[in-house]
Structure formats: C-alpha cells, structure tokens
Amino acid sequence: DDIFFLGITNLLIESALNAVRLKKVPSPELGVSTGSTPLNLAAECLSGSGEKSSSSSSGFLWTELKTPMKEHSLEGYIKFKVAKMAMATTVKVVLGSIAFAVFWMLAVFPAVPFMPIGRTAGSLLGAMLMVVFQVITPDEAYAAIDLPILGLLFGTMVVSVYLERADMFKYLGKLLQWKSKGAKDLLCRICLISAISSALFTNDTTCVVLTEFVLKIARQHNLPPQPFLLALASSANIGSSTTPIGNPQNLVIAVQSKISFGNFLIGIFPAMLVGVLGNAFILLCMYWKLLSVQKDEEDATKEVVAEDDVNSHRFSPATMSHLTSVNSRELNSTLESVTVHSSPNLNGNISHADTLRNRVVSSENEFHKASSEEIESARSSNASKEVTKDGLSQRKDGSVLSSMVSSVNGLIDSDSIKSLDENEEKVPRWKRLLWKAGVYLVTVGMLISLLMGLNMSWTAVTAALALVVLDFKDARPCLEKVSYSLLIFFCGMFITVDGFNKTGIPSTLWDFMEPRAQIDRISGIVVLAVVVLLLSNVASNVPTVLLLGAKVAASGAAISSADEKKAWLILAWVSTVAGNLSLLGSAANLIVCEQARSAKHLGYNLSFSSHLKFGVPSTLVVTAIGLTLIRG
C-alpha cells in the first residue's frame, strides 16, 4: 500500500509541477475551477478536489501546501518536499552506512595499514559494496555517474597540460619576480597570482607547478619559506572558488545547479577578491616581523639559491591531483628510513621497500616528482652496505640490484616530460611561437564560450581536442598526464554517495538542520556555513557538496529562485574556503606540503600545527567576509 501510495503521490507532484511551469488553467471537466491560479491548481491536484486530506499518511504535504506562500516559489517548495525522502529499510540503512564508511575511511586515509589500497580503489570498493548490498541496483549505479562533470574535468585537465607546455606558468613565475620590492611585496604577489591562476587552471595544478618555484625565490632572497607557501596554498583555494573550473566541487555545483559560467563568476568574484586581500592581510600581520628581517632565521642552514637557478627553473608538468591525506607523506618518510636503516634481511627489506615505493608513486603520480636518481643511489648504497655486513653471495646481490634497477627504470619510463622538451627544442622558433599563440587563442575562446553560457562540458572537451589537433603530433604523452585515477575516483564517489542518499540518512539529518539553516536570515546562513565547513574537513569537500547540494538548493528554492542560486553559491564558497582550515582540508595544501618537503636541496617541512595556527583565523575571517558579499 505504501509503495502504491508513493507512486500515486509522485504522479500528482509531477502534474502540479507541470501546471506551475506551463501556467496552464484546466477546464471545468477536470474537476478544477477555471479561475485557479498555479498555487491553487497545484493544491487541488494534490488533494484531489481542493480539500485537505489530513487523515492520509502524507496529509502534512497537502496541509502545508495550503499555507500562505509566494506563488513563484511553489515549484521550489514541492522540490523541497520531494527531497525529504523516507528512511529506507533497516537492512539498507545499515549496509549502506557500512559501504559509505569504507569509502570515507579510504578517501580520507588512503594508506591505512589494514587496507592500503588508496583513494581511487577505495571509491570503487564503496560503489561495489552499494551494489552488492543491494542498496542500489546496477542500473541506478550507472545512472548515478555524472558524465557532464567527468567531461568537464577531463577537458580542463587536458587544456592545463597544453598551457604548461606553452609556458603559461613560466610567465606567471616571471611576474612574481618582476620589479619585486621585498618580502612583503612578494607575499602579496603570490596571493594574487595564485588566486588568478587557480580560477583558470584549477588550484591543484597551480600548487603543483608553482610550489618549487616559490621555494626557490624564498631561498634566493634568504627568506623564510613558511609564509610564502601558506600564501600559495590558501590563495589557490580562495581563488578557485570563483569559477566552475577552479576546483572539482565547483564543477559538481555548476553542472547540478545549471548556473552559467558568467553568473557563477559574478556571484562569487567580489567575495573572492576581498577574501584574497583579507587573507594576505592576515599573513602580513602574522609574519610581519619575520618578513622584515632580511635573513631566514627559521632555517639559516639552508644555502641561498643563485639567481641563475631561479631564472632557469623548469616548471614541472602537473595534472589535477586529488590527494587528501597526509598518510602518503608519512609513508614516504617511512620508506626513506627503511631504505637507509634496513635490517640484515636484505631481500625482505628491499621487497618491502619496493612495495612501499610503488604505493607512494601510484598515489602521487600527479606530482611527477619522483626522484629516480636518489632512489637508485640510496638503494644501491644500502644494498652494498648490507652485502658487506652479512656476507651475502654475489649471485643474490646481483639479482637484488637488477630488481632495483628495473623498478627505477619503470619510474623513469613513466615520466615523458624530458622527451617532450627535447622534441620541442628541435622545432624552429617561429613555429614554436605560432603554436603557443594558437594554444592561448583556443584557451581564450574556451573562456569566452563559457561566459556566453554554452554547455561547459562540451566546451571544455572541444577546446581540449582543438589543442590536440593544433599540436599535430601524437597526443599520447600529453594525454598520459591526465589524472585518469581522479576520473575513476569520481565515478566511484558518485555511486557511493547516491547509494548513501538512498538510505535516507542524509535527508533525515538535514530535516533536523533545515529549520535552523534557512538562508533568508543571518542566523540560518551562519548555521549552514558552520555545517558545511565542518563536514568539508571531516568528509572532504566534494562528498559534502554531493550530499548536501540538492537539499540546500531545495531549501533555498522554497523561498525564491534567487535564494536557490544563492544557496548554491554559498555552498561553493564555504566548501572551498573550508580547505584552508587545516593541512588535511584541501588537496592543494597537501600538494604544497609534499612538493616543498621533497624539493631537491630546498626541502622544507610545512607542519600541521604551523598551518593550523594560520588556517583557523584565516578560514573564519575569509568565510565571514565572503558570506556578506555573495548575492543570488
């Protein structure tokens, strides 16, 4: 009976929505008065004859539709009520929660000791469990995958790869140095350039490409790296909130909300601009004394980088990373200690070290920063020491060394940037300049098309393919730099989150929070911001958007269409800026941390506590400033 009743209810709701959208007035034969407004029509359609059915199990729906409301908000109100799904059966709730818990654990901690399979495999495991546990059907799982989001993600990554080859980031690096007037001026430049770059090329790409260069500039002027690295990561997060292509959660919001690129930009740009300035001001206040001293007192043992080294810096290739846990960094440190301080059992340790190294490289392949020479020399010296100590046979030593060399060769083969650079050096200068101009024109054309409101996914894919054709050579080396593991991670995440939504748990929790999180009053905006901020740091920002997006938007749509748009923009702003709260809050933070730590001869460790001291006040202040400037 309940299933039959819900089916009839869905048909009636669709009828009401169609009546509201088409503004049609039915004839008297339908049993509804010809003078009905869309509001009365919807209420009459739902109640059967215009009378309340309070005795029915869903009487609350008919009763509440009779309450005074703005006529234009009826469609949003009905969407809001439909979004309040009933809780599924107890078995589905339990099994769905287990599957989501597995996904969450591996997404936040991709290298847990008892299941170190990484985030991508973790998302697929969560999706598979949702289907195996029959929380969702296989057809529903396939339908949950949002192809427009994947297309937009793929297209922007390909465009970023070609922009790197066209020296876009090299020119951005030169802007950081051009007529610089000291440490404070450099800090402000990093904040501004990082924000602009992230809005156009994603925050992860910006951090991957610029981190080592910023570190070199700091070392060149004998300045403490910490404030500059914090400026790069935090400004990249803030700047990426401006556009739908700035970060993955914005891609999701733009596709689901159908807000155009231009409206998205206009709605958040004022908040971003003031937020970047406020972030720079907080950095200057916190590090004023440190930046006023013309010497790196924090780490005086580090050598000063020569100016020629900075000018000749080669910007590393980057793909959009999705690292969200510090575990890989800890694992890498563990590997180094295992490699240098191994036990007498050489074969066992080398095998264990190889396994760990493979995990680190596979989880961080976006960085393209594996130091092959260091690995080979460290392992070779370690092997020779152990062979001397334990008197291992020459045959065993040879087999171990050969396995190490093959492992290192695999890492070297995976990095094709050197061959690309060598091929480009052979191209005549005029052809190179002409090709670069073409890349920039295609990119500008893509941005103009997005501003004109064309389909974002197909626009990005078209621009990517145009660049492939323009390059007029085998596209495999460039396409290999696309983070396909990220695309697969998104597929698994779409299925897992959709299954968790079908358990009814998110809807039930939102029903409790929704009356306190109405965006038509200040207190409601504050409550919503706090919920999104905390959830983004606990469950990561993209799953947060997938879980709350439709519910927050439906709540805003019940007020007005403008408030629905505002709800989406608030979600985009808060979920993005929330990444600055802690080192684990954003992939961009972890990229900067790992890139700085592993930089050859320049290594700097950005600790969790040092980031937290800056991240908490910056996140709270910047979030509050932005909320006052976002308009629907």
Side-chain angles (χ1 to χ4, degrees):
D1 292 341
D2 290 340
I3 295 176
F4 174 77
F5 179 77
L6 288 174
I8 297 297
T9 301
N10 285 336
L11 291 175
L12 292 174
I13 289 175
E14 286 298 323
S15 300
L17 286 175
N18 290 332
V20 173
R21 292 187 186 117
L22 299 177
K23 303 292 185 181
K24 288 183 178 180
V25 179
S27 60
E29 300 87 60
L30 297 178
V32 184
S33 60
T34 56
S36 296
T37 64
L39 173 62
N40 294 331
L41 172 63
E44 290 171 7
C45 287
L46 289 171
S47 62
S49 59
E51 297 179 1
K52 294 186 288 185
S53 304
S54 56
S55 59
S56 67
S57 60
S58 294
F60 72 92
L61 184 58
W62 324 146
T63 302
E64 290 180 339
L65 279 173
K66 288 292 188 177
T67 58
M69 290 172 47
K70 294 181 180 178
E71 183 175 317
H72 67 270
S73 67
L74 175 62
E75 182 176 352
Y77 183 82
I78 296 177
K79 285 182 181 179
F80 169 63
K81 285 302 177 185
V82 174
K84 289 189 170 185
M85 300 168 57
M87 287 285 286
T89 62
T90 304
V91 175
K92 278 192 175 183
V93 170
V94 173
L95 295 178
S97 299
I98 292 173
F100 185 79
V102 170
F103 160 77
W104 175 85
M105 178 183 62
L106 294 175
V108 180
F109 307 105
V112 289
F114 56 88
M115 195 180 292
I117 62 176
R119 294 183 71 220
T120 301
S123 71
L124 292 178
L125 178 60
M128 182 270 293
L129 290 176
M130 286 291 182
V131 176
V132 170
F133 291 160
Q134 297 184 354
V135 178
I136 57 176
T137 65
D139 290 338
E140 289 174 337
Y142 286 124
I145 299 175
D146 202 322
L147 292 179
I149 293 176
L150 297 180
L152 184 55
L153 200 56
F154 172 79
T156 54
M157 284 192 283
V158 174
V159 172
S160 295
V161 170
Y162 279 96
L163 283 171
E164 289 163 14
R165 283 187 55 199
D167 296 331
M168 172 61 74
F169 288 97
K170 180 179 179 180
Y171 300 140
L172 291 176
K174 288 183 176 180
L175 284 176
L176 291 177
Q177 298 185 87
W178 185 63
K179 294 183 179 180
S180 179
K181 297 180 180 179
K184 301 179 184 68
D185 176 57
L186 177 62
L187 183 75
C188 294
R189 290 190 187 203
I190 290 174
C191 288
L192 185 61
I193 291 176
S194 175
I196 296 174
S197 173
S198 297
L200 300 176
F201 314 123
T202 77
N203 55 349
D204 293 355
T205 297
T206 298
C207 291
V208 170
V209 176
L210 291 181
T211 297
E212 188 174 349
F213 184 72
V214 168
L215 196 57
K216 279 187 176 182
I217 294 178
R219 296 300 190 192
Q220 177 193 6
H221 297 285
N222 201 18
L223 295 169
Q226 181 172 309
F228 302 105
L229 295 176
L230 289 173
L232 176 63
S234 59
S235 298
N237 286 329
I238 297 172
S240 69
S241 66
T242 317
T243 63
I245 60 176
N247 55 59
Q249 63 266 24
N250 278 14
L251 295 177
V252 174
I253 290 173
V255 172
Q256 290 189 351
S257 67
K258 294 181 173 55
I259 299 175
S260 67
F261 189 95
N263 288 334
F264 202 106
L265 178 65
I266 294 172
I268 294 187
F269 180 77
M272 184 277 288
L273 184 60
V274 178
V276 170
L277 295 176
N279 187 61
F281 179 76
I282 293 172
L283 281 166
L284 288 173
C285 291
M286 291 184 66
Y287 295 98
W288 185 270
K289 291 183 179 180
L290 198 60
L291 295 173
S292 299
V293 178
Q294 296 298 318
K295 182 181 179 182
D296 183 6
E297 295 181 345
E298 186 181 23
D299 192 357
T301 61
K302 289 292 181 182
E303 58 180 318
V304 177
V305 176
E307 184 176 357
D308 292 341
D309 191 18
V310 176
N311 294 333
S312 62
H313 175 74
R314 297 179 77 87
F315 288 88
S316 60
T319 56
M320 186 179 294
S321 174
H322 60 287
L323 183 67
T324 62
S325 174
V326 76
N327 286 280
S328 59
R329 174 169 56 85
E330 297 172 350
L331 189 59
N332 201 23
S333 301
T334 303
L335 172 60
E336 298 301 329
S337 63
V338 169
T339 307
V340 177
H341 305 289
S342 60
S343 64
N345 186 357
L346 177 62
N347 279 337
N349 282 322
I350 291 296
S351 176
H352 182 56
D354 280 338
T355 303
L356 290 174
R357 174 64 66 188
N358 289 336
R359 289 172 189 166
V360 172
V361 172
S362 64
S363 65
E364 297 175 359
N365 57 4
E366 296 88 352
F367 297 138
H368 293 272
K369 296 292 289 180
S371 303
S372 302
E373 295 83 0
E374 292 180 6
I375 299 170
E376 184 175 3
S377 61
R379 290 183 176 177
S380 297
S381 62
N382 180 51
S384 62
K385 289 177 183 179
E386 293 301 326
V387 169
T388 302
K389 181 177 178 180
D390 296 320
L392 293 175
S393 65
Q394 200 170 19
R395 182 179 177 182
K396 182 182 284 188
D397 181 40
S399 64
V400 171
L401 288 175
S402 63
S403 66
M404 291 188 296
V405 170
S406 63
S407 177
V408 173
N409 287 338
L411 293 174
I412 296 174
D413 292 339
S414 66
D415 192 3
S416 59
I417 186 61
K418 292 182 179 179
S419 61
L420 277 175
D421 290 340
E422 291 173 358
N423 292 333
E424 288 171 2
E425 288 175 358
K426 299 176 182 178
V427 178
R429 188 170 183 273
W430 68 270
K431 284 188 178 180
R432 171 77 176 159
L433 291 175
L434 187 62
W435 176 80
K436 287 166 67 173
V439 172
Y440 298 148
L441 285 175
V442 170
T443 304
V444 171
M446 181 188 77
L447 295 176
I448 292 174
S449 300
L450 292 173
L451 287 171
M452 290 174 61
L454 298 182
N455 183 280
M456 285 187 285
S457 179
W458 281 107
T459 298
V461 172
T462 301
L465 293 177
L467 293 175
V468 169
V469 174
L470 182 65
D471 197 28
F472 206 67
K473 63 177 67 171
D474 186 6
R476 183 173 57 86
C478 288
L479 294 179
E480 283 177 350
K481 296 172 191 170
V482 172
S483 182
Y484 295 103
S485 61
L486 176 61
L487 300 177
I488 296 173
F489 170 79
F490 263 73
C491 291
M493 181 174 60
F494 286 142
I495 297 172
T496 306
V497 173
D498 185 64
F500 189 59
N501 275 327
K502 281 181 166 55
T503 64
I505 294 176
S507 298
T508 302
L509 295 177
W510 178 249
D511 287 346
F512 173 76
M513 293 300 305
E514 188 271 334
R516 303 165 180 81
Q518 293 288 336
I519 63 171
D520 57 346
R521 55 180 185 267
I522 296 177
S523 60
I525 294 176
V526 172
V527 171
L528 177 62
V530 171
V531 171
V532 174
L533 192 150
L534 294 177
L535 196 58
S536 294
N537 278 272
V538 173
S540 189
N541 38 31
V542 179
T544 296
V545 168
L546 289 173
L547 286 171
L548 293 182
K551 300 170 182 60
V552 172
S555 179
I559 303 172
S560 69
S561 59
D563 283 309
E564 180 182 9
K565 177 186 172 185
K566 183 179 179 180
W568 281 114
L569 295 180
I570 288 175
L571 184 62
W573 172 254
V574 179
S575 64
T576 301
V577 178
N580 287 337
L581 185 69
S582 72
L583 193 61
L584 303 178
S586 167
N589 299 341
L590 290 163
I591 289 171
V592 170
C593 176
E594 176 61 24
Q595 292 283 81
R597 190 194 64 80
S598 61
K600 196 172 183 179
H601 306 307
L602 302 169
Y604 179 83
N605 185 29
L606 183 63
S607 66
F608 181 88
S609 58
S610 62
H611 186 283
L612 195 65
K613 290 177 183 177
F614 158 76
V616 172
S618 173
T619 301
L620 296 178
V621 171
V622 172
T623 301
I625 292 174
L627 289 175
T628 62
L629 298 174
I630 291 177
R631 295 289 182 268

